[in-house]
Amino acid sequence: MVLARAVLTDRFDGPEVPRYFALLAQVLGIAPVAAPVLGGAILGVTAWRGIFVALALAGALLTVAVLAKVPETLPPQNRQSQGLANTFRAMGGLCRQRAFMGYVLVLGLTSAALFAYISGSSFIFEHLHGVSSTAYSLIFATNAVGMLIAGFAFSRLSRKISLNTMLTTGVAVCGLGVTGQLAILGTAGETLAGTWASLFVTLLGVGLIFPAATTLGQALGRTAPGAASALLGGLQFLFGALASPLVGLFGETSSTPMALIMLIAVALAALALITLARPWLRHGETLTDS
């Protein structure tokens, strides 16, 4: 994941960059959503060992694809010879950049909301609302399509609308979705349609945030693309890993814990956007416009 972002930074610049990062963000966003459904399908036709066979095959195919289609992208004159110490120095420099850390935290906290949804949604839909595993797969897939739609819209609009504007829009849409879910829980109670609709809206916002925050973060960290990618990707999954167990920890009798954790994560993402990234200053925009 880290190297994929760095390769894109090496190979592309100018107005085409957001489009490529949008495609990468769609893959990285859809993968954890689609993986449980795919895993369930594999277990439907084989024993648990089949999962590891599928992983081995996927690894082999990826290895062949990389060897055949992904050449070395970093020119020799741009390579660092100081080893890991230089990488950590580069990370330290990036951590001192206010705007960069704003985009990192927006991405990471949004991932926390996404992983809270991934870890809690099966329990909510199958146990609280009584849907079958097949119906749950349909719900999961529909929400994943929402992320794809948002990513496609981002790639088409990135030449016309400021990336910071789309990032702000994504955070606002995310906030609308999770706030709507809590509002429905507080008024109508546990409803299948209300939960599904609010989560669909939330994932639309996620689909805008991922490519926008990634593109802007990599643009600001262009002098050290590997270090920037490591911070963006590492914290993205660290926050997701921290949020996932909290959903079950705070109770299994309603969807309120999941909704609250998602709301807190999105609210903190909005705070990082306003106080650190400060989208009205358009950080990173000039590096993707020319």
Side-chain angles (χ1 to χ4, degrees), residues 37-254:
V37 179
L38 181 58
I42 293 171
L43 288 176
V45 297
T46 184
W48 62 268
R49 293 176 179 83
I51 293 290
F52 295 96
V53 174
L55 290 173
L57 290 174
L61 289 173
L62 287 171
T63 301
V64 172
V66 169
L67 291 174
K69 296 294 184 180
V70 185
E72 176 58 61
T73 59
L74 187 63
Q77 64 271 20
N78 293 340
R79 298 176 193 175
Q80 303 290 336
S81 59
Q82 293 87 350
L84 285 176
N86 189 65
T87 300
F88 285 116
R89 280 194 294 271
M91 287 184 180
L94 290 171
C95 287
R96 290 190 289 272
Q97 291 188 31
R98 179 174 177 175
F100 175 80
M101 288 308 299
Y103 296 127
V104 167
L105 289 173
V106 170
L107 185 62
L109 290 163
T110 302
S111 295
L114 175 64
F115 276 81
Y117 157 73
I118 291 171
S119 63
S121 59
S122 61
F123 167 78
I124 289 168
F125 285 110
E126 293 188 35
H127 294 275
L128 291 184
H129 297 296
V131 304
S132 66
S133 58
T134 301
Y136 170 66
S137 297
L138 174 63
I139 293 169
F140 218 60
T142 303
N143 290 345
V145 168
M147 289 185 65
L148 284 174
I149 292 171
F152 178 75
F154 174 88
S155 65
R156 296 297 297 269
L157 296 173
S158 59
R159 289 190 174 189
K160 302 176 182 178
I161 301 176
S162 160
L163 300 184
N164 280 286
T165 297
M166 285 195 282
L167 178 60
T168 304
T169 302
V171 174
V173 171
C174 242
L176 177 65
V178 293
T179 303
Q181 185 181 3
L182 281 171
I184 292 170
L185 287 171
T187 54
E190 297 281 358
T191 64
L192 174 60
T195 301
W196 189 354
S198 59
L199 288 172
F200 182 83
V201 172
T202 302
L203 291 188
L204 281 175
V206 172
L208 288 175
I209 292 170
F210 275 17
T214 300
T215 304
L216 292 167
Q218 287 289 155
L220 289 178
R222 195 171 189 86
T223 55
S229 181
L231 287 170
L232 286 162
L235 289 182
Q236 180 180 0
F237 277 84
L238 174 62
F239 279 39
L242 293 174
S244 295
L246 294 178
V247 177
L249 185 64
F250 287 104
E252 299 180 350
T253 58
S254 77

